[in-house]
Amino acid sequence: MNALEVEDVSFAYGAREALRHVGFSLAPGRFAALLGPNGAGKSTLIALLTRLYDLQRGEIRVGGCSLRQTPRPALRQLGVVFQQSTLDLDLSVEQNLRYHAALHGMSRRQANSRIEEELTRQQLTERRGERVRELNGGHRRRIEIARALLHEPRLLLLDEASVGLDPASRLALNRHVRSLCREHGISVLWTTHLLDEVQEEDDLLILHQGHLVASGQAAAISAEHGGDLGDAFHRLTTGPSLPSLQTAPHTGANR
Ligand code: ATP
């Protein structure tokens, strides 16, 4: 079963259409990079995946569960690391994780064992008592990943998670997330502006002006559109204008 299925999703902010007939799927254990220039529709798609906005048209399924019809089981299978950190800086690493476990209705016993497992997996066991404020950006991101995985989701969504990290921490984070895919079968959707965070074997999704202009293995997209990924991205996102996004009925979506 696919970790994520997005089918014919369109979305408009009042009269401004932001996504048009977007569809793709993500298999278990795959790393997918979502790329697109400013205004392409990435944040809108993430807002729909996390149910910040309600779907207007189309369908999204997480682990086979419809976000529209069965939002709770669908969201239960989703872990999210938002672009802006949502950790409480004055709480310890462990307190931040306990808070999330409580929100997910875990018993104390279950929380203890899951926190132990995730801290070990993120190599953070020795930092558990430290206040988040005392940790560097790379470690903070790892805590957010540990937190997002606490309830054992199938799909981990990271929205520009490497922003603000130095090059070494950025690389380490990218490698670490890939190891989660390889070793634990978690599927990852990783949004970024940085082409060097994409590898040839990754699934690649390129959004441009609300259209999904490419989807498939990164190596195949590069070969088809230019030779290297930079050329392909450039061609796909600067070519002739796409069919214009039309005016849609007002829906009341706000940001
Ligand atoms: P960026 O990389 O700059 O964050 P993005 O790919 O995330 O861009 P979105 O923020 O999803 O793109 O925007 C897609 C389109 O929807 C753009 O044309 C944007 O101007 C428009 N848009 C986004 N939010 C709103 C809003 N609240 N009201 C009206 N239009 C919006």
Side-chain angles (χ1 to χ4, degrees):
M1 184 196 300
N2 284 324
L4 175 65
E5 285 163 340
V6 174
E7 272 176 23
D8 195 21
V9 166
S10 298
F11 188 88
Y13 296 95
R16 183 188 286 256
E17 213 176 353
L19 292 174
R20 198 181 201 198
H21 302 304
V22 170
F24 63 91
S25 60
L26 181 55
R30 295 292 298 163
F31 182 100
L34 174 63
L35 289 176
N38 293 127
K42 304 178 298 295
S43 304
T44 305
L45 180 59
I46 284 160
L48 291 171
L49 291 172
T50 52
R51 217 158 169 267
L52 188 59
Y53 299 155
D54 286 333
L55 275 168
Q56 294 168 352
R57 184 196 158 121
E59 178 63 286
I60 295 177
R61 278 185 291 273
V62 188
C65 298
S66 160
L67 257 190
R68 196 196 279 277
Q69 283 157 11
T70 51
R72 276 175 180 243
L75 290 174
R76 166 79 186 69
Q77 304 191 64
L78 182 67
V80 187
V81 176
F82 290 104
Q83 192 174 344
Q84 300 291 338
S85 172
T86 55
L87 293 169
D88 188 323
L89 300 181
D90 291 317
L91 294 183
S92 70
V93 170
E94 186 169 340
Q95 284 169 328
N96 269 279
L97 296 180
R98 284 205 179 282
Y99 184 62
H100 182 82
L103 284 180
H104 274 269
M106 288 184 201
S107 67
R108 187 160 182 89
R109 198 170 160 183
Q110 195 186 6
N112 285 346
S113 101
R114 288 296 300 129
I115 288 171
E116 199 59 47
E117 277 168 24
E118 286 308 324
L119 286 177
T120 306
R121 178 148 78 176
Q122 314 297 334
Q123 294 154 6
L124 283 168
T125 36
E126 273 143 41
R127 323 300 293 258
R128 64 192 313 151
E130 290 180 38
R131 283 196 315 164
V132 170
R133 193 179 290 287
E134 287 151 23
L135 303 180
N136 67 33
H139 282 129
R140 290 183 193 185
R141 277 304 192 202
R142 281 189 176 219
I143 298 162
E144 290 191 284
I145 293 172
R147 185 179 61 175
L149 294 177
L150 216 52
H151 59 287
E152 298 181 272
R154 280 169 193 264
L155 175 66
L156 180 61
L157 178 59
L158 297 113
D159 187 12
E160 301 198 31
S162 60
V163 166
L165 298 183
D166 62 48
S169 306
R170 193 159 73 78
L171 187 65
L173 182 73
N174 189 275
R175 282 199 184 132
H176 176 66
V177 171
R178 286 168 187 287
S179 75
L180 295 174
C181 294
R182 253 192 333 270
E183 292 157 25
H184 304 281
I186 295 163
S187 306
V188 167
L189 185 63
W190 170 279
T191 77
T192 183
H193 280 109
L194 302 167
L195 295 177
D196 68 352
E197 292 183 351
V198 183
Q199 295 183 0
E200 289 200 332
E201 67 275 15
D202 293 343
D203 288 346
L204 177 60
L205 305 160
I206 301 181
L207 271 178
H208 176 44
Q209 296 177 2
H211 297 254
L212 190 64
V213 291
S215 116
Q217 210 181 22
I221 292 171
S222 304
E224 188 182 343
H225 293 280
D228 76 21
L229 187 57
D231 292 339
F233 183 77
H234 184 73
R235 287 209 180 130
L236 286 161
T237 58
T238 56
S241 269
L242 294 164
S244 61
L245 294 175
Q246 290 167 354
T247 299
H250 180 68
T251 57
N254 293 306
R255 292 184 96 177

